[in-house]
Amino acid sequence: MASYNYNQRGLPQKPVPAPRGARSPNSPHGNPMSAMMDQPMSSQVMAAAAAGMAASGQAMNDNRAKAVLKEAVDAVVNSFAKHSHGYGRVNVVEALQEFWQMKQDRGADLKNGALVVYESQPSSTPPYVCYVSLPGGSCFGSFQHCPTKAEARRSAAKIALMNSVFNEHPSRMITDEFVDHAVRDAAGSFQGAPEQADNPATGIGAFRFMLEANKGRTMLEFQELMTVFQLLHWNGSLKAMRERNCSRQEVLAHYSHRALDDDMRSQMALDWIAREQEVDGIISRELEISEKELESARLAGRELRFFKEKRDILVLALSQIGPPESMA
């Protein structure tokens, strides 16, 4: 496995965060986007966004789910056009950027700025695929069959805009009531005793600990944090830390304030390179699985950070493996 530097409690030392790119330029004020964000989103738009979220998360007929998702996304985009006061057809790419710029201008804590970043999947023929990363790290992708690269970017922007809008709803905020309800549901699903919620050494207790630590944040922000722990679990890092006698609460406290940066990705890639030396072809097999998971989630309109990070870490590991004789 990769070599880590550990502190006296057996936890990996926190690395220096990787530098980020330029911040987003200031958006013009006094525009329709500003007017829209100054008033609550209509119930019809919120209902459409909620329907789209349900379509991306529930098991329903595939064609029906795609139709519901498209209707919901179109409803959110059309709401921006409605508030454009004669500006005509909305440019969804610009609308998404201005949405996040306005949030920053209104005091949102966006540590790395309000820049929305697009990444086109290399391809010389359609369908084209594009991913968009929101400030904070949430990732979405084009969910339609896109004949051009520009259409792929618009498709990614649409699904990201819908999720950004729905994330503003009060029901998406982590409150005391939300924590209690979520913990009760978790205890019921896993048949855990109620008193386990007060013990951070248990799974349910750890879940409550994470929710309590993130009160005041939205579910999208919480998902960004959960991505780190999903990757640590997938990579086997959590198991390794348990074997070093690190308590669950210590691990949660340590990684709750750790950014998913290039250093963490590189460490995980080294772990997979070490596995490749023990089991030939394991990276390629895992990469094939990850690419299928990513595609399925993208077409369903789901948040993609975990799936895409897995794929990117495995691609990084594969790129660093030379001919067999060089691995001796």
Side-chain angles (χ1 to χ4, degrees):
M1 295 296 160
S3 174
Y4 295 85
N5 293 322
Y6 293 92
N7 62 22
Q8 61 183 357
R9 288 299 305 136
L11 293 167
Q13 297 282 16
K14 185 177 181 180
V16 177
R20 296 294 296 267
R23 297 165 71 92
S24 170
N26 292 329
S27 295
H29 295 275
N31 56 23
M33 180 66 70
S34 177
M36 184 173 188
M37 292 190 69
D38 283 336
Q39 53 185 297
M41 196 67 66
S42 72
S43 59
Q44 292 89 347
V45 173
M46 279 299 180
M53 297 290 286
S56 65
Q58 293 181 2
M60 63 173 70
N61 177 276
D62 186 56
N63 290 334
R64 174 58 181 159
K66 289 181 179 179
V68 171
L69 182 61
K70 183 179 185 303
E71 290 171 5
V73 171
D74 287 344
V76 173
V77 173
N78 289 338
S79 73
F80 280 84
K82 179 180 178 181
H83 287 77
S84 63
H85 304 299
Y87 275 63
R89 183 178 178 182
V90 66
N91 183 319
V92 70
V93 173
E94 291 182 0
L96 179 63
Q97 180 60 67
E98 290 202 12
F99 180 96
W100 284 95
Q101 188 65 53
M102 289 293 177
K103 280 180 65 68
Q104 184 181 51
D105 292 345
R106 284 161 169 71
D109 183 19
L110 305 178
K111 294 181 176 61
N112 297 307
L115 186 64
V116 174
V117 179
Y118 292 88
E119 177 186 342
S120 294
Q121 190 78 5
S123 177
S124 58
T125 59
Y128 294 99
V129 174
C130 182
Y131 298 100
V132 56
S133 295
L134 302 178
S138 292
C139 178
F140 297 91
S142 49
F143 64 101
Q144 299 160 300
H145 185 285
C146 300
T148 67
K149 293 181 179 180
E151 184 58 35
R153 174 176 285 216
R154 286 192 291 268
S155 180
K158 286 179 182 179
I159 193 69
L161 181 59
M162 184 190 76
N163 281 271
S164 299
V165 168
F166 187 60
N167 197 53
E168 297 296 301
H169 194 276
S171 66
R172 303 288 288 175
M173 186 72 67
I174 299 177
T175 62
D176 289 328
E177 182 181 2
F178 179 91
V179 172
D180 291 339
H181 182 75
V183 170
R184 282 198 304 270
D185 285 349
S189 298
F190 294 95
Q191 299 180 342
E195 57 269 17
Q196 290 184 354
D198 297 322
N199 182 1
T202 66
I204 295 174
F207 181 54
R208 174 182 278 278
F209 176 85
M210 291 188 68
L211 287 172
E212 292 280 0
N214 286 275
K215 281 193 295 188
R217 295 187 178 184
T218 65
M219 284 304 298
L220 202 57
E221 292 171 316
F222 183 66
Q223 177 60 45
E224 292 161 2
L225 171 64
M226 286 298 296
T227 298
V228 173
F229 290 98
Q230 286 177 290
L231 287 170
L232 291 171
H233 174 72
W234 163 73
N235 191 59
S237 303
L238 292 182
K239 180 181 179 181
M241 283 181 276
R242 283 198 301 271
E243 293 172 350
R244 298 180 69 88
N245 297 320
C246 298
S247 72
R248 183 181 275 112
Q249 188 172 14
E250 287 173 332
V251 173
L252 291 173
H254 179 77
Y255 279 101
S256 292
H257 303 286
R258 167 115 181 233
L260 179 54
D261 54 22
D262 289 341
D263 184 88
M264 185 183 293
R265 295 184 188 97
S266 296
Q267 289 178 344
M268 291 187 181
L270 289 174
D271 281 340
W272 283 97
I273 291 174
R275 292 187 181 103
E276 181 74 20
Q277 292 175 324
E278 298 172 359
V279 183
D280 185 52
I282 190 173
I283 295 179
S284 295
R285 290 192 292 274
E286 186 70 18
L287 179 58
E288 183 179 358
I289 294 172
S290 296
E291 288 179 332
K292 290 180 180 178
E293 291 176 341
L294 177 59
E295 181 181 18
S296 177
R298 176 179 62 80
L299 294 176
R302 295 171 59 189
E303 202 278 325
L304 304 175
R305 182 80 183 276
F306 171 59
F307 305 103
K308 188 171 181 298
E309 290 287 355
K310 278 203 308 180
R311 196 274 311 267
D312 291 350
I313 289 168
L314 292 167
V315 169
L316 175 62
L318 204 58
S319 71
Q320 294 181 4
I321 296 177
E325 59 270 16
S326 68
M327 295 182 65

